[in-house]
Each structure stands twice: as C-alpha cells, then as structure tokens.
Amino acid sequence: MSSSLAEGIAQTREPIRYPSQGAVVGWILFDWAAQPYFTLITTFIFAPYFATYVAPDPATGQSMWGFATAASGFVIALASPVLGAIADASGRRKPWIALFGAMLVIGSMLMWFGKPGEPHTILPLLIAYAIATIGVEFATVFNNAMMPNLVPPEKIGRLSGTGWATGYVGGILSLVLVLGFLAASPDTGKTLLGIAPWFGLDPAQHEGDRISGPLTAVWFVVFVLPMFLLTPDFPAKLAPRAAIREGLRELRETLRDLPRRRSLAIFLLANMIYTDGLVSLFAFGGIYATGTFGWSTIQIGTFGIILAIAATIGAFVGGRLDDAFGSKRVIAGSLLLLLVAIAGILLIDPSHVLLIEVTPPQPGGALFASPAERAYLLLGCLIGIAGGPLQAASRTLLIRIAPRDRIAQYFGLFALTGKVTSFIGPLLIATVTALASSQKAGMAVLVLFFVAGLALLTQVRGSAD
C-alpha cells in the first residue's frame, strides 16, 4: 500500500471534531433571542393592540394584519429555496444571520411609533412588520443550517428540542416582563403586578404595548451575541453563485425523486397544510380574543403565558406518547384536538358558551371572570397542548419514513413545505374577514386546513403505522 493511500485512509477514519459545549449553548440562545418576536409582536401584545387601537376596528385590523402577514409569507415562500440552497452549499451562516437579524431589529424598533388613533401610521407599521417578519424567518433558516456542524447526527433531535424549549421559556419571560413591569391598564394605570409601569410609560398612549417592539429588538441583539461570539462559523465551500446553482441542483434531484415515494410526498403535503393552519391559529388567536371579549393587553398577555405553559407540557407529554404509540397517531390526535378547540371557539361569544346563554363579562370585573372567557381560556390551553406535539411528532415521522441516506435533504424539503404556503392561511382569514366583516367567519377557515391535513395523513404509510 502506498504511503499516500495510507494517509488518505487515515484521514477518512479521523473522527469529526465538533465544537465546544459553549458553542452549542451560543447556538441554542438564538431561539431564546428570536422567540419574543413571535410572542410579543405577532401573537399576544402588538398584533392585538394594532387591531384594537390603531386600526379603525378589530375586524378591519385583523384583515390588515392578515394581508401584511400574507405578503411577508409570500416573499418568504419565493426566496426560501434559494436561501436554503445558499445555507446548504455555501457553508457561511453568520453574515446572513447578521443581515436578516438587522431587518428584524429595524422593523421591530419602528413599531414604537404606532400611536393609537393615528391612521397615517397604519401603512408604515404594516411595512415594518413585514420587514421584521422576513428578517426573523430568514435568520432562522441560516441558524438552523448550523445544526449539523455542532453535534453528531444522533444528537440533532436533542439539540433541536432543547432550542425549541429554550425559545418557549424566553418567550414566556419576555411576556412576563411586559405584563408585569411595562404594560399598564389604561383604566387603572397599573401593570399585572399592580405597580406603575417602568420608565414612566404612559398607559393612555399604550406605550407599554408599543414598547414590545423596541424590547424585542434589544432582546434579540443582546441574546444573539453569544452565538456570534462562541459558535464557530465555517469557511465558504462555494462562492455564492456556485452555491445557489449546486443547492438548486440538489433540490431538483430530491423533487424528481419525491413522486416515487408516495407516502412521503403525501406527508409533506399534509404537513404543509396543517402547519399553515397552526401558524395562522397562533397568529390570530390573540386578535380574535381582543375583538370578541375586548381583552386588554394584560388579559391577552396572561392568556399567552398560560397557553405557552400548556404548549410546553404538551410537547413534553407528546414526546413520550410518540415513543409509545407512534408519530402518526400523535399527529392525528393533535389535529382532532385542534378541530375540537376551533369548533368550541366558534360557538363562544361574550354571552354564549356552546349555544348556552351565560352571564357576559362585566366592566372592571376580575381576570377571566365570565364563563365565556374561562371557556375560551380552556380551549386556548387545548390548542397549546395539541400544538407542541403536532410539530414535534411531524419531525419524528419524517425521520421514520424518509430514506436515511438523504435525511438532510428531506429535512430541508420539510422546512420548505412548512414555509412555502405560509401566506395562504393569513390571506384567506384576512379575505373572509374583510368580505364578511366578521372575525368569526375568518377564523372558521382554519377548520378546512386541519380537516384536509388529517384526511391526507390517513394516506401516509410507514413505520409509524
């Protein structure tokens, strides 16, 4: 055997050296840094504030917010394949995370200027929201692309789950910070903890709601720094143009192979549909509650904390049910729970619960004092409990039915199907809400997404059956 051949064999047998634990922790903190955007801006604080106090009325506000979400989702869908190709083929991640992170920071900071009752701020606010949304989604794409270089393949799931859980905790803490110390009720001038808001924020001008934008920006900058400082980037494998060509070539090969894998193709289609419904449900749940019950920021935020805790419990229990009964059954059960929850929500208004007349909420009453509010809270917890297992079990089912030698490519396709139609749900909700002038009609659209996803799931065959 020649010395050069022996050296080559020795090199191929040399184990891959992964970075330190500090590098892994730095990567995990990206989820902690980014999650407040989804918790504070898109779901529980700023979106309901915009629909209630900036837009002409809640239904119009839900429609406007939906169109802005749809527009940003359309851009994300168009650019995701190209950016995914760059992330997979080029090797470099951090410059792109910095670029799109800057979009998140700038868009979030601008939300401070959305004062109540000033219609001229509506369009700039929606543009800022779209910019920030595009930024956080694409920054996440490149951050996710760093995962294979951080831990061995057998630990990828644990790494992803830890990041997901860390993000949930960060979102909860950011929400507690806003509700407990920054956002006060315009009626009492006190926060959820019964204190005057920090920094002299004016409740009448909803400065506690508006500060959620700058807080999200500062939070991201502070907590994303460990990733930039501790987590190593990797040298470029290909120049950007070559990376785009190579990545798209591999994507085309995977897509050409997909029709021969019928069960896998059906699952990816089902995932695309029910994920769109789940994202839309989380995005509009707070806005819907505000329009239905007139909830304040404190009530919406408290609802968000309870829902996030329920989602954390659901994800924990769902993982164990996944091992015991299979991923497909967990997904199907989660979708059924979501359908029950939506049906219940559509049968609730301030004076009725499941068509039964109840005492409506009283002005100045205790938190969630009325039967209708408590029922909505219970159904929200059901959504949280189902949402976590749905997402986690979907990832597990892909591992069970995808070819192991191409698992990375299929995970890329899995991520793509989760984004490519992300604008359709918000667009349909916005359109139906606008045409019917009814938030309830808009939310009813989500039933179609979960029914269609469940119907397709029944056609999936694999080791999870």
Side-chain angles (χ1 to χ4, degrees), residues 82-346:
V82 175
L83 291 175
I86 294 173
D88 191 44
S90 72
R92 297 298 301 276
R93 277 65 160 150
K94 286 185 180 180
W96 296 96
I97 295 174
L99 171 64
F100 291 115
M103 291 175 59
L104 163 62
V105 169
I106 293 171
S108 298
M109 292 291 291
L110 292 175
M111 293 180 187
W112 168 257
F113 299 101
K115 296 181 179 180
E118 295 190 2
H120 65 276
T121 66
I122 290 177
L123 181 59
L125 278 179
L126 293 176
I127 293 174
Y129 164 63
I131 290 172
T133 300
I134 292 169
V136 71
E137 291 288 357
F138 285 152
T140 302
V141 166
F142 284 96
N143 185 70
N144 289 342
M146 301 178 77
M147 290 177 61
N149 295 320
L150 295 176
V151 295
E154 65 270 15
K155 294 184 179 180
I156 286 288
R158 187 186 309 173
L159 175 65
S160 176
T162 302
W164 206 332
T166 303
Y168 268 130
V169 175
I172 292 172
L173 290 181
S174 68
L175 197 53
V176 170
L177 177 60
V178 171
L179 295 177
F181 302 97
L182 301 175
S185 167
D187 299 325
T188 65
K190 302 295 183 181
T191 69
L192 183 62
L193 296 180
I195 64 174
W198 285 358
F199 312 117
L201 296 175
D202 184 1
Q205 289 296 309
H206 292 271
E207 291 181 347
D209 301 331
R210 291 154 49 200
I211 200 69
S212 61
L215 173 63
T216 295
V218 173
W219 184 289
F220 180 81
V221 170
V222 170
F223 291 111
V224 83
L225 281 177
M227 187 275 294
F228 281 104
L229 296 175
L230 302 176
T231 308
D233 206 349
F234 293 83
K237 295 183 292 185
L238 295 172
R241 289 186 180 180
I244 293 173
R245 289 195 298 269
E246 178 64 17
L248 292 179
R249 183 191 65 79
E250 292 183 358
L251 180 61
R252 285 195 298 270
E253 288 184 358
T254 300
L255 291 174
R256 280 198 297 266
D257 180 62
L258 193 56
R260 293 193 292 271
R261 304 181 184 276
R262 181 177 180 274
S263 189
L264 184 52
I266 292 174
F267 167 66
L268 289 172
L269 179 60
N271 175 72
M272 180 175 68
I273 293 172
Y274 64 65
T275 296
D276 198 3
L278 183 64
V279 170
S280 300
L281 180 57
F282 278 122
F284 288 94
I287 295 176
Y288 182 79
T290 299
T292 301
F293 299 109
W295 280 358
S296 67
T297 298
I298 290 177
Q299 290 168 304
I300 287 289
T302 304
F303 172 71
I305 293 172
I306 295 172
L307 189 147
I309 293 172
T312 304
I313 295 172
F316 179 81
V317 175
R320 281 142 185 80
L321 293 176
D322 191 331
D323 290 336
F325 301 107
S327 309
K328 182 177 171 181
R329 291 184 176 90
V330 172
I331 296 171
S334 298
L335 290 172
L336 288 172
L337 286 178
L338 289 171
L339 283 169
V340 170
I342 293 176
I345 287 172
L346 295 176

